[in-house]
Amino acid sequence: MLIKFLLAAALFSAVSANTECIWVVGRVTCAMDQAKVIDTRVEVWDKDGPKSSRVNVDPIMKLIDGVDPDDKAGVTLVEDESGTFKVEGCASDQDWLFHKNQPEFYLRVYHRCTPSGQERSVDILPPVKVFVPNTYDKYMNNPIELSFL
């Protein structure tokens, strides 16, 4: 009977999920021309794939990443030259064998703060582990400077 209980508990924990949400507020700046921050797209993503830089060169890592790619959780646009943004999103990650697996949120920013004005994207890491009801506001006092990304 004990073995059946443990097997059922392990199976339940293997298929349960942990859902978390995130609120991020901040600012983006562009040293070459602050007007270029308008329409910057700020997305919040949940890191799900391999946590290795080998993903682009290792075929097995590439396959794993294809099976479990990162998930987009939210998106917003910067609407004016102040560069302020607020983005929010939620994600679920599988819990495994009594281990609570929290989402690893990071930002992906699409901007035109380039000499040519062509769009460029950059991931802002490390992953954020501040969940609702708290607000992650690091980028209010430490804006994301797009000129160097």
Side-chain angles (χ1 to χ4, degrees):
M1 181 68 167
L2 178 60
I3 293 174
K4 287 182 181 179
F5 172 76
L6 291 175
L7 183 59
L11 181 60
F12 175 74
S13 69
V15 297
S16 65
N18 183 42
T19 300
E20 297 284 356
C21 297
I22 187 171
W23 294 328
V24 180
V25 294
R27 292 185 312 122
V28 293
T29 58
C30 179
M32 64 180 71
D33 181 358
Q34 186 62 20
K36 289 185 174 189
V37 302
I38 297 171
D39 292 331
T40 294
R41 188 169 75 239
V42 180
E43 300 176 345
V44 61
W45 285 77
D46 172 30
K47 181 83 174 144
D48 284 332
K51 282 115 181 109
S52 170
S53 59
R54 298 182 341 194
V55 96
N56 292 325
V57 294
D58 186 330
I60 294 174
M61 296 295 275
K62 192 174 266 193
L63 177 67
I64 293 170
D65 193 50
V67 171
D68 191 15
D70 294 353
D71 303 313
K72 186 182 339 180
V75 63
T76 192
L77 288 176
V78 173
E79 296 179 349
D80 58 44
E81 285 188 39
S82 71
T84 58
F85 66 88
K86 176 183 177 184
V87 64
E88 56 190 56
C90 298
S92 295
D93 279 353
Q94 291 297 126
D95 292 339
W96 297 102
L97 300 176
F98 307 107
H99 173 72
K100 186 176 181 179
N101 186 17
Q102 294 180 312
E104 297 173 289
F105 291 111
Y106 65 93
L107 299 180
R108 181 168 290 159
V109 179
Y110 292 86
H111 67 91
R112 295 190 182 281
C113 182
T114 61
S116 67
Q118 287 188 309
E119 186 174 74
R120 177 181 297 163
S121 71
V122 63
D123 291 348
I124 308 296
L125 301 167
V128 179
K129 293 277 191 173
V130 177
F131 304 115
V132 169
N134 297 315
T135 300
Y136 189 72
D137 62 357
K138 171 186 175 182
Y139 302 116
M140 287 303 292
N141 293 325
N142 302 293
I144 299 168
E145 173 52 57
L146 302 172
S147 302
F148 307 118
L149 304 176

